[in-house]
Amino acid sequence: MNINSTEQPSPWLNSSTWPSVRSSGIGMSCFTMTFGAVSNLTALGILAKSHIRFQRQSKAHFLLLTVALLLADLGGHVIPGAFALYLHMDPGYKMQAETPTIFCQIFGASMVFFGLCPLLFGCVMAMERCVAVTQPFFHAAMITVTHVRRVVLFLSSLAFMLAVLPLFAMGTYTTQFPGTWCFLPIHRSLSTADTYLALAFSCLGLTALTLSLFSNILTGLALLQARMKLKNAKTKSATHCTRRPSSASTSSLFCSLDVEMMTQLAVITVVSCVCWSPFLIHILVMQINQSLRFSNDGQDGFTLLSLRMASWNQILDPWVYILLRRVVLFRVCCSFKTQRPLVTTNSSCADTQRQIFSLQ
């Protein structure tokens, strides 16, 4: 969702100022949309190359959810971004706040759909990893790829239904400050349905973030507990490479695929919370507090700023999977180990690390 424009003191400008508003933000809109699309395509290409490794280690569930998340991020850049660019590049097109056009309705529906999908998919990814780590036997016996596909379809349908309700006269989408994007009425709800839809959007998003955070905490504690048990069972972890090179490296904290996915999920959850929380909480507060709903004192500017923060979540998501892969983590781990005298004098450990690196 790439909405960039020069902020103006009034949410509704006269017609003479519309062209300058669009031209001032078109360069940044093009950059963010292009950079976001390229980032997501790059991450999808890396996942495609890792497809065999994921299947061999029975991680197809995580792969499917990751692909769904990146596709949602890609669509969130291309489709709403194209709508925003159209408004920037067409000075003759004037959006009316009081009588939203079909274009505004479709624009708003795409904003809601591509805003909810990444949050819901990220929540399911965190919950799936939590079950896989804390209840491995139940996960292996009961959760299949077919089940994951059904969950992805259900969540996509849920977001789609919420997005298209205003198209069937159950709520509406209105032009938002500074006139370059459309969304559910945030400050001045036109009906009770508008209030309920805005509350549903914010509550779904905040619930997904909360469940993701809670699931990642449980998964992290489970992995930490398993790591401590493994450490207690070994007399000296530093001598693992010389005694059992192949098994020691595969049991390393930084070489574990579970830890790789856990690291990715933890970072993606933090990024989602930082990027989305201001926008979602702002919508929730505006719908609950009736006195703030009709106040324009800085509310429009804050809404635009929080939306821009939310749009960066779709840019940062793919870079989490690009940078926090097991190969990258292994290199970082090795760079720290080479600074320790005990490891630098151990040549067999370096040979083992090269063997593990060649398998990635």
Side-chain angles (χ1 to χ4, degrees), residues 296-308:
N296 271 336
D297 299 335
Q299 298 295 338
D300 291 320
F302 181 80
T303 303
L304 183 63
L305 177 62
S306 60
L307 177 69
R308 290 172 176 172

Side-chain angles (χ1 to χ4, degrees), residues 58-59 61 127-144 222-223 226 258:
S58 302
K59 305 302 179 183
H61 315 83
M127 296 176 66
E128 188 270 338
R129 280 296 90 198
C130 182
V131 175
V133 172
T134 59
Q135 303 292 332
F137 296 105
F138 173 82
H139 181 272
M142 302 300 297
I143 299 180
T144 64
L223 290 175
D258 287 331

Side-chain angles (χ1 to χ4, degrees), residues 107-293:
F107 191 0
S110 66
M111 294 279 287
V112 172
F113 177 77
F114 290 110
L116 279 179
C117 281
L119 295 174
L120 297 177
F121 292 158
C123 176
V124 175
M125 291 172 64
M127 296 176 66
E128 188 270 338
R129 280 296 90 198
C130 182
V131 175
V133 172
T134 59
Q135 303 292 332
F137 296 105
F138 173 82
H139 181 272
M142 302 300 297
I143 299 180
T144 64
V145 176
T146 302
H147 292 152
V148 176
R149 290 175 180 172
R150 291 176 180 175
V151 171
V152 171
L153 180 61
F154 170 75
L155 295 178
S156 302
S157 302
L158 177 63
F160 181 78
M161 290 177 59
L162 183 64
V164 300
L165 281 178
L167 302 181
F168 295 93
M170 298 181 63
T172 184
Y173 291 109
T174 59
T175 307
Q176 304 293 325
F177 171 81
T180 55
W181 61 292
C182 293
F183 198 71
L184 297 167
I186 299 176
H187 304 291
R188 299 176 181 84
S189 299
L190 302 179
S191 64
T192 305
D194 294 330
T195 302
Y196 287 151
L197 285 177
L199 285 174
F201 178 85
S202 60
C203 289
L204 273 177
L206 291 173
T207 301
L209 292 177
T210 303
L211 290 177
S212 299
L213 186 61
F214 181 72
S215 299
N216 287 332
I217 291 175
L218 291 181
T219 307
L221 292 177
L223 290 175
L224 181 61
Q225 184 180 8
R227 180 64 178 175
M228 292 178 64
K229 289 181 179 180
L230 179 63
K231 186 177 181 179
N232 293 333
K234 305 294 183 179
T235 56
K236 290 183 179 181
S237 59
T239 61
H240 284 177
C241 288
T242 56
R243 292 180 180 179
R244 289 184 297 177
S246 59
S247 62
S249 295
T250 55
S251 64
S252 175
L253 178 63
F254 288 97
C255 297
S256 172
L257 184 59
D258 287 331
V259 175
E260 173 194 4
M261 293 185 291
M262 183 58 214
T263 304
Q264 293 174 347
L265 283 175
V267 176
I268 206 65
T269 301
V270 173
V271 170
S272 298
C273 290
V274 172
C275 293
W276 274 102
S277 293
F279 187 63
L280 296 174
I281 295 176
H282 177 65
I283 295 177
L284 182 63
V285 171
M286 295 303 297
Q287 303 310 308
I288 295 177
N289 196 327
Q290 299 291 333
S291 61
L292 292 177
R293 189 182 298 183

Side-chain angles (χ1 to χ4, degrees), residues 20-99:
S20 61
V21 170
R22 292 192 186 91
S23 60
S24 62
I26 187 173
M28 185 58 66
S29 295
C30 291
F31 170 76
T32 53
M33 186 178 71
T34 303
F35 182 65
V38 171
S39 300
N40 282 278
L41 289 174
T42 303
L44 287 171
I46 293 175
L47 285 177
K49 292 183 179 180
S50 305
H51 181 66
I52 298 178
R53 175 170 65 92
F54 273 84
Q55 282 191 333
R56 184 177 66 247
Q57 302 186 11
S58 302
K59 305 302 179 183
H61 315 83
F62 189 81
L63 174 63
L64 179 59
L65 292 172
T66 304
V67 171
L69 174 64
L70 293 178
L71 287 176
D73 288 336
L74 179 62
H77 274 287
V78 175
I79 297 178
F83 289 150
L85 286 179
Y86 174 78
L87 298 181
H88 283 292
M89 298 176 65
D90 187 6
Y93 187 88
K94 297 180 177 59
M95 304 178 66
Q96 301 296 329
E98 294 78 8
T99 57

